[in-house]
Amino acid sequence: MVSTRWQHLPHQLSHLHLDVGHFPGATPLKTMDAFMGAMRRLLSTCSPAADCNSSRAIKTLSLSFYMSSTHLCSIGRAVEDVVTHNATERLEFNISLSSGNKTRFGKQFMSFSRSCRVTFRCLTSRDGNGASKPALTLENLAFGHSDVTNLINACDRLDHLTLSCCRLVKHSAVKIDTPCSGIKELKFIYFMCTWIELISVRKLRQVRCVCWPFENPPVRLGYVPELRDVSLFNKAMAWQAPFKLSECLSRSAKNLSRLILNFGHQMIWIQPEHPKHLTTIFRNLTDVYLNCIFPECDLNWTMFIVQAAPALLNFTLYRNQHPCVKTSEHSAQKTNMLPEPSKDWKHLNLKLLVMAGFEEEDKVTNYLRLFMERAVGLKRIELRGKHPCDKCNATDLELESTRSLVDKASRYRIKERLTHESSLSVKITIC
């Protein structure tokens, strides 16, 4: 009797999350059959015990399911009915893929997106603040030459696209030309191709490339007038020669404000160049982060970025290498770049310099002397220690604590040397 009275309750829920992992089945196909049965029942207008005249709005619909050609179209049609007749605020797909046949799954997915356009236009996810945004993350897929462009155009409300461990069926360049799309963020993680070319992506605000296995430069930016944020992370391999940032970035990105380069404690994979080649691109750059610089690296080469960015306010250098960091046998050789900084230039706007994880006292002291000489508007220098690392399980905690105290004492000595030698009104903080 109790179960009969409650039979209508699932049909009144406004937030639904169905996960294929919660359904029994001897095979993935049988499991998907069970998943589909539950989905049809829960997405139906009403149950036999419910009042069919009552209104129901599904605000949130999250579906986690297997990539199954037998069920994809049925899922798309069912979801399309929901988003067409409801004020759905959040629609999320989490599709589990096998790493075996990327090409077959890629074709299935593209067919799915073409046949369910209304559904894909409504895909959303949650950002870090809990707000909904149209987002899609794909892993382990092989795409045809124009598939990525076609996908972005088909999902015309898409805000954020992440492609992880994907590749092209034929090894060539990924060329994305979507001048009318609203895509704002593109993230490529270990994407196998020759290079990534963004021909025209008018609304793009953020691009991230992580661990590219191909030659440099990893991305070539065309017409991206709204671009604000560029982030590149890679542990350089032996076949990846350093490249010039002017070959990668675009002069159309007049609003670029943040640049993050992470070298993974390996070779510095950008090549210093005359600041005049970057000034147009960097004229509104305010924040620069150069992360995971290898310990032996001379730091004076970084000054060409400061000189090319007249509006720069904050400049951060991180070393932060831990014992758990291993070097691949295919890594590029670490070489020291010793360019002569241009003479007689001054930076008027830079206010904050942060250095973290650097231990060589003389190297840090000499670099800070040069920096204070050039950045005449500098207000504060922060000298920070290493961030703790959860992966260093084998590290002796007592030894690590002692080392931390030694490093902090070293930072205090650097501060004393600079304070006694300099008459500049720069506040030096030990963190």
Side-chain angles (χ1 to χ4, degrees), residues 97-164:
L97 307 168
S98 167
S99 59
N101 194 328
K102 294 184 179 183
T103 302
R104 177 167 60 86
F105 284 139
K107 291 180 179 179
Q108 288 181 9
F109 181 83
M110 291 306 299
S111 177
F112 182 33
S113 67
R114 286 190 295 268
S115 62
C116 304
R117 291 182 181 274
V118 174
T119 298
F120 273 79
R121 287 182 64 192
C122 297
L123 281 174
T124 60
S125 184
R126 294 285 182 181
D127 62 17
N129 298 318
S132 293
K133 64 176 182 179
L136 181 62
T137 298
L138 302 175
E139 299 182 9
N140 295 317
L141 293 179
F143 294 102
H145 180 71
S146 59
D147 280 351
V148 178
T149 290
N150 292 339
L151 178 62
I152 293 174
N153 286 331
C155 306
D156 58 358
R157 297 181 189 175
L158 193 63
D159 183 89
H160 176 184
L161 176 62
T162 297
L163 301 175
S164 178

Side-chain angles (χ1 to χ4, degrees), residues 272-323:
E273 56 187 306
H274 198 286
K276 68 180 181 181
H277 299 305
L278 289 167
T279 301
T280 301
I281 303 171
F282 285 174
R283 64 182 178 182
N284 289 312
L285 192 65
T286 57
D287 297 272
V288 171
Y289 302 84
L290 304 181
N291 297 337
C292 296
I293 299 173
F294 68 88
E296 302 81 15
C297 184
D298 183 86
L299 300 176
N300 287 358
W301 65 270
T302 63
M303 300 301 288
F304 86 91
I305 296 179
V306 178
Q307 186 178 354
L312 190 64
L313 297 175
N314 306 303
F315 193 65
T316 300
L317 301 174
Y318 277 97
R319 180 198 159 213
N320 211 44
Q321 187 169 6
H322 290 271

Side-chain angles (χ1 to χ4, degrees), residues 250-280:
S250 171
R251 291 178 180 271
S252 71
K254 298 178 181 179
N255 297 305
L256 182 67
S257 59
R258 186 168 76 154
L259 178 67
I260 302 175
L261 306 178
N262 189 314
F263 304 102
H265 307 291
Q266 302 302 315
M267 179 191 77
I268 305 300
W269 34 256
I270 60 169
Q271 183 178 336
E273 56 187 306
H274 198 286
K276 68 180 181 181
H277 299 305
L278 289 167
T279 301
T280 301

Side-chain angles (χ1 to χ4, degrees), residues 78-91:
V79 172
E80 186 170 317
D81 287 341
V82 171
V83 299
T84 301
H85 299 100
N86 288 271
T88 304
E89 297 173 355
R90 180 187 176 195
L91 171 64

